[in-house]
Amino acid sequence: MVRRQARGQQRIAEILDAALALFAEVGYAAASTNAIAARAGISPGSLYQFFRNKEEIAQALSERLVDALRTAHADAFADRDVVELPLAELVERMTDPLIGFNVANPGAKALFGNTDMPAALAAATRPLHEAVTGRVAAVLAARSPQLSDAEAVRYATVAVHIVRALMGPIVAASEGEREVLIGELRRALVGYLAPIDALSV
Amino acid sequence: MVRRQARGQQRIAEILDAALALFAEVGYAAASTNAIAARAGISPGSLYQFFRNKEEIAQALSERLVDALRTAHADAFADRDVVELPLAELVERMTDPLIGFNVANPGAKALFGNTDMPAALAAATRPLHEAVTGRVAAVLAARSPQLSDAEAVRYATVAVHIVRALMGPIVAASEGEREVLIGELRRALVGYLAPIDALSV
Amino acid sequence: MVRRQARGQQRIAEILDAALALFAEVGYAAASTNAIAARAGISPGSLYQFFRNKEEIAQALSERLVDALRTAHADAFADRDVVELPLAELVERMTDPLIGFNVANPGAKALFGNTDMPAALAAATRPLHEAVTGRVAAVLAARSPQLSDAEAVRYATVAVHIVRALMGPIVAASEGEREVLIGELRRALVGYLAPIDALSV
Amino acid sequence: MVRRQARGQQRIAEILDAALALFAEVGYAAASTNAIAARAGISPGSLYQFFRNKEEIAQALSERLVDALRTAHADAFADRDVVELPLAELVERMTDPLIGFNVANPGAKALFGNTDMPAALAAATRPLHEAVTGRVAAVLAARSPQLSDAEAVRYATVAVHIVRALMGPIVAASEGEREVLIGELRRALVGYLAPIDALSV
DNA sequence: GATGAATGAGTCTTCATTCAT
DNA sequence: GATGAATGAAGACTCATTCAT
C-alpha cells in the first residue's frame, strides 16, 4: 500500500515534470493533456487517474512551486533575520531564489510570469500568487510595523508584479544580459520600496 | 465606390471593436473568429473578407493602439517640452494616456498587458511594443544625453514592463482602488528612473 | 446594342481565358470562382452575370474546345480526304491538332484529359467528349463501311481514351521527351486500329 | 495488448473500406473526412487517431492496392514463367487481376484511374503507380533483353496509362459491355506491345 | 451591367475528457 | 491502475453563390 502510494507519487511527479517542460516550450494553452501524458510516458487515460482535468495539473504545479519557494526562502534567511538586513540585500535575498527557480524551470513562467491567463489558470495559480505576495507582505510588515495590513499587501502586490513582469525577459536573456536585467530589477524594487521601508533611514 | 469603401472601413472598425471587447472578456486565445464575427453582427465568411486570419486582426488592433497612443502622447506634451518637466510630472504625463486608453478599452490588455503570448500574437503586437518602448527611450535619451542607445532602450524596456505589469490590476480595480494603484505605479517608475535621469539632479 | 453584346462576348472570352489558365495551374476543383473572376479582372458578382454557376464555365469552355477542334480538324483534312490516307498518316493528322491545342492550353487537361471528374464536370464536358468521339467514329466508319455504328463508336471511344490518357504526360513532358511520347501514342493508335481499318489491307 | 492492436488494425481496415467506397461514389476531393468517419461508424476524432490527415488515408489505401496487386500478380504467374507465354496471354494474365480488383473496389479508380489529381493525392499514390509500372517494365525487360531500362520504363508507362484510361469505362460498364471493352483493352495492348516484344517474333 | 460585401454551410483538424478492456 | 481507442464539440478558414447599391 505504501508501495502503491509511493509509485503514485512518482507518477504524479513525472506528470508534473512533463507538464512543466511542455509549458516552458509551448505555453499552457498549447500544451495538450495528451502531449503531457505522452511526454510523461503514460497514456492519456492514466493521466486522468491522477488529475481530474488540465487545470488541476496547473494547480498541483503551483503547489509544488509554493513549496520550492518556501524552502528557498527559508534557506535564504537561515542565517540572518529579515529585519536585520539593509533593503538592497533583502531584495537580493528574496529575489534570488525566485529567479534561480524560474531560470531552472522556464515552464514556471506560464504559471507565474503570465499576466493574462485564461480564467481557469488564474484560479489554479491564485494560491501560488497569494503565497508569494503574502510572504513579501509579511516581510514588509515586519520591517515597517507602522504599515497597515492593507498597505503591506498593496506594496507587496506591486512589488511582486514588478518581479513577474521582468521574469520573462530575465529568463529569456543570454547569460550576460541576464545579470544586467537582474540588476535593473533590484534597482526598481529598491527604488519602489525604499520610501516605505522603515529600516531604510 | 467611396460609399463602398466607407462601408468597408466601418465594417473593419466594427470587427475590431468586437474583437477588442471579446479579448477583454476571454483573452486572445479563447476569442474565436466565429465569435468575433457574431459579435460584430456579420457572418464568419465576411470577417475573412477584411482580415486574412486571426492574427491579422490582432495586428490591425495593435496599429490602432499605436495610433491612439501616438496622438495621446502628442497631446500630453503639446504645451511643454519633454525636457522641461520634473520627472514626476513627466511620468504622469506619459502614463496617463496609456492608462486612460486601457481603462476605456480593457481588451487592450490582451495585446499590451500580456506577458506570455502565443508566438503569432507576439509577432503581431511587436510593432506596438516597439513603438511604445521606442518613444520612452527617446524621451529618456533627450533628458539624459549621456545615456548610450543601449542604456536608454534598456531602461525604457524595464519601465514599460513595469507599466504593463500593473496595467492589469489597475484596469481591474474599482474606481477608488485604481487611483491608489496608479499612485504606486508612478512611485515605482519615479523610483526606478530618478537615478538615471540627468534632470533629477 | 451590338456594342453591348460585343463587350459581353469579350467579357465571356476573358473569363474563359482566366478559367482555362487557372485550371491549368491548379485543376478544376481548386480553381475557385472568385479566383477566376479576379484573374479575369472582374468582380465575383460580374462573373455570375455571364455564368449561372461554376459548371457552366466548364461547359462553355468545352464548347470552345469543340469549336477549336472542329476547325483544326477541318484544316487538317483540307487537302486530302479521310479515306485516301494511309492509317499512320490519318492518325497523325487527327492527333496533331489535338496535341497542339492541349500543349498550347494546358488547362484543357482538366476538361479533356481527366478520367475521374466530379459528376457535375463530367456532365458539363460530355458534349466535348461526344463531339471528339463522334468525329473519330465518323472517320472510322467512312474508311470501313462494314462497321456497325456501335462498333465504330466503340473503337472511337477506346481510341479517344488512349489519346486522353497520354495527353497528360505529353503536355507535361519536356520538348524532347514529348516527341518520343507522341510517337508512342501514334504507335499505340495504329496498333489498335489497324486490325479494324479496312484500308489497312 | 494484442487484442488492442487487433482492434486497431480492424478499425484501420474499416476506415479504408469506408474511404474506398466513398471515393468510388464521389471521388477523392468530394469525400470529406467526416463523411469517411461516419461511414466507418466512428467519430471524426477517431479517424485522426489512425491517420494524421486525409492524404495519409489515400496513402494507406495505395499501399493496400500495391499489396493486393502484388499478390494477384504472383498468383497469375504461379504456374508459368513470364517469358514462356505468348504476348496475348501475358497481357491477359497481367490485366485480369487489375481489372478484377477495380471492379470489386470501384473506389480504386480515384487512386489508380485518375489522371488529374490534386498534388497531395498524386504524391500519396506515386508509390502505387511506380510499383505497377515497375512490375510491367520488369516483365517487358525480361522478355526483350535488348531493351534499355529507359525504353522498358517508357513502354511500361504508356501501357499502364492505356490500362488506366480504359479502367473507368470497364468498371462502369454493364456486365456484357464489360467483356467487350476488356477485349478491346487487350487488343490495344497487344497492338502496342507486339512490335517491341522480342518473343512475338 | 458592375461592384464587392455578405452569406453560411461545409472542410479539415484538434483536444479535453471518457470508457471498455 | 493502466491502456489507448473513442468521443464530439469546437476552431480557423474556404468558397459557390446572392444581393444591395
Side-chain angles (χ1 to χ4, degrees), chain A residues 138-157:
Chain A
V139 169
L140 295 183
R143 292 172 65 98
S144 309
Q146 88 287 0
L147 293 180
S148 72
D149 275 12
E151 284 170 327
V153 167
R154 175 157 62 239
Y155 297 144
T157 301

Side-chain angles (χ1 to χ4, degrees), chain B residues 98-166:
Chain B
L98 209 48
I99 293 174
F101 186 89
N102 275 274
V103 168
N105 305 86
K109 184 188 54 161
L111 302 179
F112 182 69
N114 194 345
T115 312
D116 178 46
M117 323 171 144
L121 222 204
T125 56
R126 176 151 348 190
L128 168 61
H129 295 125
E130 278 173 5
V132 172
T133 303
R135 203 176 316 283
V136 173
V139 169
L140 295 184
R143 293 171 64 96
S144 310
Q146 87 287 358
L147 292 180
S148 72
D149 277 12
E151 286 170 328
V153 167
R154 178 159 57 241
Y155 298 144
T157 301
V158 170
V160 169
H161 268 88
I162 293 175
V163 175
R164 286 170 63 187
L166 294 178

Side-chain angles (χ1 to χ4, degrees), chain C residues 7-61:
Chain C
R7 227 179 42 180
Q9 281 313 116
Q10 195 193 317
R11 276 270 184 272
I12 290 181
E14 286 166 4
I15 294 170
L16 293 181
D17 288 344
L20 195 54
L22 221 51
F23 289 173
E25 286 170 25
V26 301
Y28 174 79
S32 78
T33 55
N34 281 6
I36 295 172
R39 178 170 305 217
I42 61 175
S43 65
S46 291
L47 189 155
Y48 281 83
Q49 216 119 21
F50 298 100
F51 300 98
R52 260 207 292 282
N53 50 44
K54 194 180 175 183
E55 197 181 327
E56 238 178 36
I57 298 176
Q59 222 166 87
L61 221 32

Side-chain angles (χ1 to χ4, degrees), chain D residues 90-189:
Chain D
L90 177 82
V91 161
E92 200 177 314
R93 291 212 188 186
M94 296 204 66
T95 251
D96 266 6
L98 209 48
I99 293 174
F101 187 88
N102 274 274
V103 168
N105 305 85
K109 183 188 55 162
L111 302 179
F112 183 69
N114 195 344
T115 311
D116 177 48
M117 323 172 143
L121 222 204
T125 57
R126 177 148 351 188
L128 168 60
H129 295 126
E130 277 172 5
V132 172
T133 303
R135 202 175 318 282
V136 173
V139 169
L140 296 183
R143 293 172 64 96
S144 308
Q146 88 288 358
L147 292 180
S148 73
D149 276 13
E151 285 170 329
V153 167
R154 176 158 60 239
Y155 298 144
T157 302
V158 170
V160 169
H161 268 88
I162 292 175
V163 175
R164 287 171 62 186
L166 293 177
M167 197 60 84
I170 286 173
V171 168
S174 67
E175 197 78 357
E177 185 67 8
R178 176 136 65 217
E179 285 312 309
V180 179
L181 285 175
I182 292 177
E184 295 302 306
L185 167 58
R186 289 186 192 142
R187 217 162 56 61
L189 289 173

Side-chain angles (χ1 to χ4, degrees), chain A residues 162-186:
Chain A
I162 292 175
V163 176
R164 287 171 61 189
L166 293 178
M167 197 59 84
I170 286 174
V171 168
S174 66
E175 197 78 356
E177 185 68 8
R178 175 134 67 217
E179 285 313 308
V180 178
L181 286 174
I182 292 176
E184 295 302 306
L185 168 59
R186 287 187 192 142

